Each structure stands twice: as structure tokens, then as C-alpha cells.
Amino acid sequence: MGIRALACAAVAAAVLGAAAAPERASADTPPVTTPSVTSTLPVPFGFASGIALEALDPGGSVPGTNNYSCTPSVAHPDPVVLVHGTAANRQTNWAVLAPVLANEGYCVFALTFGNRSDLPWPLSAAGGLAPLPESAQQLSDFVDGVLEATGASKVDLVGHSQGTTVSGYYAKFSGGDDKVSKIVSIAPLWNGSDIGPPKGVGGPDFDNASFVSELRDAGVYADTVEYSNIVTRYDQVVVPYTSGILAASNASNIVVQDGCPQDRSDHIAVVASQRTAALTLAALDPSTTREIPCDRVLPIIG
């Protein structure tokens, strides 16, 4: 499934819920503060759960995210900022991983970047459609707000698909190296992809985009940031999947299927699987030993 199909699927699913959805501001408005996490949040199943959240609460935030009164703990001093992929947003991309992180005691934040706020919902809910430098600047502004609200000195970034290149560009070229401790990249494409975005759809995260070439030519990684790349052999958007593997002294590379061949996560399902969630937690806090689950995961639906 290509970028155009992903975008159409997300928008179509959101439209199905629009009639029942309450009226809400467009997706690029400031995130609504959600209550502090006082009990374990439910963790849904599969990527479609995020689309359902957006349909029911247009422009909202996943439970457990964007709580600007959250105080980082000693165990997890860096807030986690989630950076979505092409045609996604702060809800559709993170319904699974956001509550997992919040349940672990992280202060979790998520933004929508690169969307067309001048369009009606659900079209305004599709983010990641702006030039990469613009999106990186939006991320920079968002991180500054998180640092100011929480009193933290740095954040950790978790990106998916285009969100990995936005995070990388921010850390490499936009001053993010002084404000970011770790970047966890799910389905990254540091060396581009043999499948490019259709004209007019955006998605400046492929190797025919000048700013991704700029990032690649500069070596991708910022020296002071720790990187973890999580890739899947069944990625149908990042082709070949090894585009997301890039060795360096400050980087680790993880193939989801290593030790778990029954996990057939594709570009979509990989961001919503329990195995990826556990791998992400391990990357953010390598000092804690944790079990990495191995379940049967199907493409797209999980």
C-alpha cells in the first residue's frame, strides 16, 4: 500500500465516523490537555483504533497525552514527544504507543504537523503534507513548549515513517541536538525508498526529495543524540526496508522479525504492535530489563 492509499484509507475511515463526531477545532490547533494518569490506561489493538479516536473526537488527543501539568519523574526525566507519519496526526498514529508510554510513567506529548488547517475536517486532520523544513520548525516550536511546561532540559522523540525524517532533520539542522536525548525511529527511511510519493500529496520523506538528500549527505545523525531504528522486513512503503538501517556508534538497529518470524507487521501495523511498543520502551530506557513479546501480527490490521 502506497502513500496515496494510506492517506485515502485514513480519511475515508474518519469520514465514516464524522456524522457521529462532535464538532471540534481542526487538527492543527493547540493540543487539548488531558487529565493526569492516575490509573492504568487501556491499550487498544491495531492501527485502526487511532482512526476511531479521531472520528469520535476530531482534533483531540490520545488519552494520556498532552497533559501540560505532567511533572517528569526521576526515573523518566525526559518527556516523550510523538512525531507521526504522512497523512496521519497526533491521534491516528499513536492510539497504541501513547498509553503504553503513559502507563510506564512518561510524560507523553504528541503534535500534528504539516496539515492544512484551512480545509474542513477530516481533510484538515491529515498531517505530514508540508515541506520537511516547515514540519521540523513546527516540531521545534512544540518541543520548546513541552520543555517550558515540564521544566525538563531535554525530550525524547519517537517518530514513525515521515516522523523519523522530521525528527532527524530537527536534530541535525534545527537546533534539536541541544534539546533531544534519544530518537526512536519506527520504519525510518534514511536512504530513501524505491517507492516515492505521488505528486501533490506531499510526503517529503523519500530519496527524491532534496531535504532528505541533504540529511543523508550530512550523515543523518547528530553526534550528541542516541538513535534507535526499528524496521520490519514486510515494509511495503520503505523499500527496501534496510533503508532504515544505518550503523553508527550512537545508533542501534532492530529488525522486528529477528527472533519473531510470526510477526508480519508492515509499514502500518508496526507502529501499533505490542512488540514494537516493548522495543520502544527498551530503547528509551535500556537500563531496565523487560520481556519483548512475540505475537502473530498481520499486515495493516495487526
Side-chain angles (χ1 to χ4, degrees), residues 103-288:
N103 288 341
E104 288 285 325
Y106 287 95
C107 293
V108 186
F109 297 85
L111 77 161
T112 297
F113 62 87
N115 62 317
R116 291 285 303 277
S117 59
D118 57 317
L119 297 177
W121 187 89
L123 298 178
S124 62
L129 303 180
L132 187 60
E134 293 181 17
S135 296
Q137 183 58 53
Q138 290 181 358
L139 174 59
S140 177
D141 294 342
F142 188 84
V143 167
D144 287 348
V146 169
L147 294 177
E148 181 179 0
T150 61
S153 58
K154 290 190 176 185
V155 301
D156 294 332
L157 303 179
V158 177
H160 173 230
S161 189
Q162 187 191 146
T164 68
T165 56
V166 171
S167 299
Y169 197 96
Y170 165 58
K172 190 69 173 178
F173 298 124
S174 302
D177 56 333
D178 290 332
K179 301 174 183 179
V180 176
S181 293
K182 300 181 181 73
I183 296 179
V184 180
S185 300
I186 302 170
L189 55 165
W190 306 126
N191 288 308
S193 175
D194 292 344
I195 302 175
K199 292 181 179 179
V201 173
D205 50 346
F206 291 88
D207 64 352
N208 61 344
S210 61
F211 18 76
V212 175
S213 297
E214 179 187 5
L215 178 62
R216 185 169 60 251
D217 292 345
V220 176
Y221 299 145
D223 293 339
T224 58
V225 178
E226 298 177 30
Y227 293 81
S228 297
N229 302 311
I230 301 173
V231 304
T232 173
R233 289 193 176 98
Y234 300 102
D235 200 317
Q236 76 280 51
V237 175
V238 180
V239 180
Y241 76 92
T242 51
S243 173
I245 296 176
L246 186 63
S249 60
N250 59 333
S252 60
N253 297 285
I254 304 159
V255 180
V256 169
Q257 288 76 27
D258 284 354
C260 189
Q262 62 264 46
D263 188 320
R264 299 181 66 87
S265 296
D266 67 339
H267 192 76
I268 301 173
V270 69
V271 77
S273 78
Q274 293 304 311
R275 184 170 179 81
T276 297
L279 291 169
T280 300
L281 291 173
L284 292 173
D285 183 12
S287 65
T288 299

Side-chain angles (χ1 to χ4, degrees), residues 56-90:
L56 293 172
D57 185 18
S61 293
V62 178
T65 68
N66 296 330
N67 172 20
Y68 281 82
S69 64
C70 184
T71 301
S73 65
V74 174
H76 304 304
D78 297 334
V80 177
V81 175
L82 304 176
V83 191
H84 63 75
T86 303
N89 64 39
R90 65 177 175 245

Side-chain angles (χ1 to χ4, degrees), residues 283-299:
L284 292 173
D285 183 12
S287 65
T288 299
T289 301
R290 64 179 66 250
E291 181 180 355
I292 307 298
C294 176
D295 301 313
R296 183 172 179 264
V297 179
L298 298 177

Side-chain angles (χ1 to χ4, degrees), residues 14-24 51-59 121:
V15 169
L16 291 177
E23 186 175 351
R24 189 66 174 274
I51 298 175
L53 285 177
E54 179 66 23
L56 293 172
D57 185 18
W121 187 89

